[in-house]
Amino acid sequence: MAIENTDTQTPDAAREEVAQLVERISESRDAYYGRDAEVVDDATYDSWMQRLEELERLYPALQSQDSPTLTVGAALGTLFDPVTHAERMLSLDNVFSGEEFAAWGARVERDAGGHVAYLCEVKIDGLALSLRYEKGRLTTAATRGDGRIGEDVTENVRRIPAIPQRLHGDGVPELFEVRGEVFFTVEDFAALNARQEEVGDRLFANPRNAASGSLRQKSEGKNPRQREAMDARLSRLRLTVHGIGAWANPPAATQSGLYELLATWGLPTSPYYRVVDSVSAASEFIRHYGEHRHEVEHEIDGVVVKVDDLALHDELGATSRAPRWAIAYKYPPEQVNTRLLDIVVSVGRTGRATPFAVMEPALVAGSVVRQATLHNQEVVKAKGVLIGDMVVLRKAGDVIPEVLGPVVELRDGTERAFVMPVACPDCGSTLAPAKEGDIDLRCPNTRSCPAQVRGRVEHIGSRGALDIEGLGEVSAAALTQPLRPDRPPLVTEAGLFDLTAEQLFPIDVVVRDPETGLARLTESGEPDTRSPFRRQRKRTDPSVDESETFVGDAEWVLSKAATELLANIEKAKSAELWRFLVALNIRHVGPVAARALAQWFGSVSEIRAASREELAAVEGVGGIIADAVLDWFEVDWHSEIVARWADAGAQLATAGHPGPGAVATVAGVLEGLTIVATGTLDGYTRDGAQEAIITAGGKAASSVSKKTDFVAAGPGAGSKLAKAEDLGVRIIDAAEFHRLVTEGPSALD
């Protein structure tokens, strides 16, 4: 049945809204999964996702291959080796009210054909982990990643005493995967931050960030003190197993039965779960832990409710990103009162000027909060807050601080209204809307506004771009906004690959928060300043090698972080072309579009010379991205970036690429064939399936037509599968797809 389109906006407006939603959601995912940071609360994130799903239903052509509605997690970096999960590692859908939860339960029982039992367990705010055991021994531990491929953190997991390296007991299978959550208890998190503060290291914002930050780090190159601190953090991590992955014929009929079995083998399962026989009983479990959440040993942000019968899991199935037999109920955030000391404005990577509330430190939902976003000047007015007010503060989703409004009764007449500044606080340019009707004000000095340059440089070093280890928030701020010298090493990102030790050495910097762009404060309330690229040489320090590079005063030595950063920037010059395209900060050009452009054109110069029609015709690009690419190259100082990167040795072309369109004629077992990969294919990410087709000499198409030779379809294939059936195109599954790309079509006969 066709969906009635009740949306009143024009198709062009819908296209623009979809592009904005995808950009916001992708940035939030990148922060959460890639930088262990939260830049938006759960409620806002979920509202974005719900709106995007609605628009994609109404305008199916706007759903791209890498839409957030079809994917899980975020792109992987290169710090850890990739690990392919034997079975997909999905996420969970969320509900936020009793009505939403009851509606979910009604759908489950309707689709199950009757009454079901539910397993209820508290939702741990930690890091998802998959453990693979072979013959009872732990062989691999991996993060969720994008749900298909995670990061190999086995080395670090072996140093966590709470995770068994060998299972004991009867019936342990030859091979199976279990999924769980790694976390710090509330007590251990407090002790960890106390130690961080004692040694002068950065405090962790919350237990989830601490768990992820402790597990996702390498020990290579660390000095003895750093390795000792890393081991100490890992030794405090705990694990609770809450599900299974690949496991042929598990000897249990229920989820609760599996928990009991796993516990007998030595795997830690949650003490906070219960099997109930109705939705109302599950609601009572949710209510109980909502009232007693602080009595649990670890931070929780809700309750997970699952159908207990494993046979129903297969029957109910899953979407492309979440099972239909489980749901996460998110608790409303806690609230406290605190004093609003000031409202300051910060400018981000895209030039948006955002007001932030600066408050008296307040403990809310387990962590100390000093700052919170107010989004824009209209939101400040709508909330009705005055500088000096006592305000109500909450942690939205128990993660993101949010100012709800003032306590008007406590006003004494000394409060004053916030006035949005006319000029950019970083460069002095006049703030203005990007276009008529926009509420947000932006700094138009995109070329050299220090705040925007800082954001772009940090983006260049991120996992989804050039993945330059050491080029993070502190380094980006140091290179673009140092306290001295007067002229920063990077006025724009054009000089990134020309950096020298002499430029790095004298830098002092105010450390800024990556989410707010505001200066971090020490416990005394002073700005946190550092000299990230040098350290004082102690004459009695045996760790100082006399062969180290000295610059300036002989009492100071260039830090190891500086030399490693320069080496990593040099290494990044030979990155794949698509990574450079992402690093250029072209709007809408993420990893998928960048790969498509790089594979088709083979060089930045060919992309620059292409017409709109040629760009838009590339599979996975289209008109919106084509316009963004053309607009980017029309800016004169963007040409300077490309020229200086090329002059410095950056490889802005794929060696041996014969020119535009050559991607379809690469020799291989699929030469001359067009293949569409859709849905979830075991053993392949979405990008991985396309790369496999191209590597084998085929054309990886995004739409099904009469010219399509094969459609590789997995769960979530949707309309492409239906169209293939209508056109009589041969449909193959994941196993056949693997044979096709490795052996050719004859392997399917």
Side-chain angles (χ1 to χ4, degrees):
M1 182 178 67
I3 297 174
E4 181 183 0
N5 190 336
T6 59
D7 200 80
T8 58
Q9 62 184 328
T10 65
D12 285 344
R15 184 178 295 106
E16 180 64 19
E17 185 179 0
V18 166
Q20 292 177 354
L21 288 168
V22 169
E23 183 178 11
R24 290 173 179 173
I25 293 168
S26 298
E27 287 177 354
S28 300
R29 284 187 175 183
D30 182 62
Y32 186 81
Y33 293 104
R35 305 197 306 271
D36 302 323
E38 295 90 2
V39 296
V40 68
D41 61 85
D42 279 357
T44 301
Y45 179 88
D46 286 332
S47 71
W48 291 346
M49 285 289 290
Q50 290 166 3
R51 177 58 176 163
L52 181 59
E53 289 170 350
E54 178 186 13
L55 288 171
E56 289 179 347
R57 285 195 301 271
L58 297 175
Y59 305 94
L62 298 183
Q63 186 180 54
S64 63
Q65 294 183 18
D66 58 345
S67 170
T69 61
L70 300 176
T71 57
V72 174
L76 301 177
T78 56
L79 186 59
F80 295 92
D81 292 333
V83 172
T84 300
H85 302 303
E87 186 170 314
R88 282 190 303 161
M89 200 169 177
L90 299 176
S91 184
L92 287 173
D93 287 332
N94 301 319
V95 294
F96 296 90
S97 68
E99 293 76 14
E100 288 178 322
F101 175 69
W104 172 81
R107 288 195 300 272
V108 166
E109 297 195 356
R110 178 201 66 197
D111 294 341
H115 169 82
V116 299
Y118 300 93
L119 183 146
C120 308
E121 58 191 342
V122 297
K123 186 176 182 296
I124 303 171
D125 192 14
L127 176 71
L129 195 67
S130 179
L131 304 175
R132 181 185 179 96
Y133 287 90
E134 298 181 23
K135 297 182 179 180
R137 292 182 180 275
L138 177 66
T139 58
T140 308
T143 62
R144 185 198 309 274
D146 63 4
R148 278 291 175 191
I149 300 177
E151 296 169 313
D152 187 349
V153 291
T154 310
E155 177 185 347
N156 287 345
V157 166
R158 294 197 186 282
R159 297 150 72 183
I160 302 175
I163 298 180
Q165 306 299 306
R166 184 179 178 86
L167 304 181
H168 301 280
D170 298 327
V172 177
E174 284 286 303
L175 183 151
F176 76 118
E177 285 181 342
V178 292
R179 273 72 189 272
E181 206 82 0
V182 175
F183 62 93
F184 283 107
T185 65
V186 173
E187 180 180 353
D188 283 340
F189 175 70
L192 169 62
N193 259 353
R195 187 183 186 283
Q196 294 287 104
E197 185 174 13
E198 179 182 339
V199 299
D201 285 345
R202 175 183 172 184
L203 301 185
F204 290 102
N206 52 55
R208 190 266 172 195
N209 283 12
S212 182
S214 298
L215 190 61
R216 297 169 66 226
Q217 60 179 319
K218 287 281 192 179
S219 59
E220 290 90 348
K222 296 186 182 296
N223 61 42
R225 186 190 70 81
Q226 291 172 325
R227 284 195 295 271
E228 179 182 355
M230 180 178 173
D231 286 337
R233 291 196 295 270
L234 290 171
S235 69
R236 290 179 179 269
L237 282 172
R238 308 287 185 86
L239 170 76
T240 290
V241 173
H242 54 55
I244 62 172
W247 188 349
N249 303 315
T254 62
Q255 183 87 9
S256 54
L258 279 178
Y259 281 12
E260 294 171 4
L261 182 61
L262 294 173
T264 66
W265 294 340
L267 287 162
T269 55
S270 175
Y272 309 105
Y273 83 89
R274 185 188 311 157
V275 177
V276 300
D277 61 1
S278 67
V279 171
S280 61
S283 296
E284 176 58 25
F285 182 95
I286 292 170
R287 184 200 62 78
H288 172 82
Y289 277 103
E291 296 175 356
H292 300 277
R293 60 195 299 181
H294 296 298
E295 297 174 14
V296 179
E297 67 173 352
H298 49 71
E299 291 284 347
I300 67 173
D301 57 0
V303 164
V304 176
V305 179
K306 305 174 181 176
V307 173
D308 196 33
D309 187 344
L310 294 181
L312 285 176
H313 289 193
D314 291 334
E315 184 175 335
L316 294 170
T319 66
S320 62
R321 59 180 301 275
R324 293 189 176 93
W325 45 264
I327 200 75
Y329 184 102
K330 291 290 192 71
Y331 288 131
E334 293 183 317
Q335 299 180 0
V336 299
N337 288 358
T338 189
R339 184 71 62 185
L340 177 62
L341 302 177
D342 199 1
I343 297 177
V344 298
V345 172
S346 173
V347 173
R349 172 166 66 106
T350 61
R352 182 186 291 119
T354 304
F356 281 89
V358 179
M359 297 161 290
E360 288 182 349
L363 182 65
V364 54
S367 63
V368 175
V369 175
R370 294 181 174 86
Q371 299 170 343
T373 181
L374 291 169
H375 301 290
N376 57 57
Q377 68 276 14
E378 297 303 321
V379 171
V380 177
K381 291 179 183 178
K383 289 182 180 292
V385 294
L386 302 176
I387 298 171
D389 267 337
M390 183 66 71
V391 295
V392 179
L393 175 69
R394 73 170 180 175
K395 278 280 200 72
D398 280 343
V399 174
I400 303 300
E402 178 185 2
V403 174
L404 292 181
V407 184
V408 177
E409 295 78 7
L410 297 180
R411 284 178 175 166
D412 60 11
T414 62
E415 299 81 12
R416 68 185 192 277
F418 165 71
V419 178
M420 189 70 179
V422 174
C424 171
D426 285 83
C427 71
S429 300
T430 301
L431 299 175
K435 59 184 179 181
E436 185 178 354
D438 279 0
I439 295 175
D440 291 332
L441 299 180
R442 295 177 184 269
C443 171
N445 180 18
T446 55
R447 180 183 187 276
S448 54
C449 173
Q452 297 184 59
V453 179
R454 182 191 72 240
R456 295 199 299 268
V457 170
E458 185 177 348
H459 169 74
I460 290 169
S462 67
R463 294 184 180 194
L466 290 180
D467 197 21
I468 302 175
E469 188 174 358
L471 188 57
E473 61 196 76
V474 175
S475 296
L479 293 170
T480 59
Q481 295 178 292
L483 296 178
R484 61 186 182 96
D486 294 335
R487 180 180 174 84
L490 294 181
V491 177
T492 74
E493 58 268 46
L496 178 65
F497 293 105
D498 297 321
L499 286 173
T500 64
E502 287 75 16
Q503 288 176 288
L504 298 184
F505 185 76
I507 292 175
D508 292 326
V509 66
V510 174
V511 179
R512 296 179 180 271
D513 186 279
E515 281 76 60
T516 66
L518 302 178
R520 284 211 186 107
L521 304 180
T522 63
E523 288 300 314
S524 63
E526 297 298 318
D528 180 4
T529 60
R530 302 183 195 176
S531 301
F533 301 132
R534 59 191 170 99
R535 64 185 177 92
Q536 193 163 20
R537 180 189 180 192
K538 296 180 180 178
R539 297 183 185 278
T540 58
D541 183 357
S543 70
V544 176
D545 185 341
E546 292 299 330
S547 66
E548 286 186 295
T549 302
F550 285 80
V551 183
D553 189 341
E555 290 300 310
W556 293 85
V557 62
L558 197 66
S559 70
K560 186 174 182 180
T563 57
E564 289 181 344
L565 175 60
L566 291 172
N568 291 335
I569 291 174
E570 182 66 27
K571 180 181 177 182
K573 292 178 181 179
S574 58
E576 294 174 272
L577 175 60
W578 71 265
R579 288 189 174 273
F580 281 105
L581 295 177
V582 175
L584 289 175
N585 281 279
I586 303 171
R587 193 181 184 198
H588 304 313
V589 177
V592 172
R595 285 177 185 272
L597 289 167
Q599 291 165 353
W600 186 263
F601 291 101
S603 70
V604 171
S605 60
E606 290 287 356
I607 294 171
R608 183 174 187 173
S611 66
R612 183 187 189 278
E613 291 71 24
E614 290 170 329
L615 292 167
V618 176
E619 297 285 353
V621 177
I624 292 176
I625 295 175
D627 288 338
V629 171
L630 291 173
D631 289 345
W632 192 89
F633 279 108
E634 285 180 357
V635 178
D636 55 0
W637 62 271
H638 289 169
S639 300
E640 180 190 0
I641 297 173
V642 174
R644 289 189 62 182
W645 284 11
D647 290 344
Q651 300 301 304
L652 303 183
T654 302
H657 195 289
V663 68
T665 60
V666 177
V669 295
L670 298 184
E671 185 173 358
L673 299 179
T674 299
I675 294 93
V676 173
T678 181
T680 303
L681 297 172
D682 286 338
Y684 295 89
T685 62
R686 190 173 300 275
D687 287 347
Q690 291 183 344
E691 288 184 2
I693 295 167
I694 293 167
T695 301
K699 178 182 178 182
S702 60
S703 58
V704 180
S705 69
K706 293 180 179 180
K707 296 181 180 180
T708 304
D709 296 289
F710 294 93
V711 171
S719 60
K720 294 178 184 178
L721 178 60
K723 187 169 184 180
E725 292 172 341
D726 290 344
L727 294 175
V729 176
R730 182 170 179 179
I731 300 167
I732 58 177
D733 59 21
E736 292 172 316
F737 176 71
H738 180 71
R739 293 202 302 274
L740 176 67
V741 296
T742 54
E743 303 174 45
S746 61
L748 304 184
D749 295 338

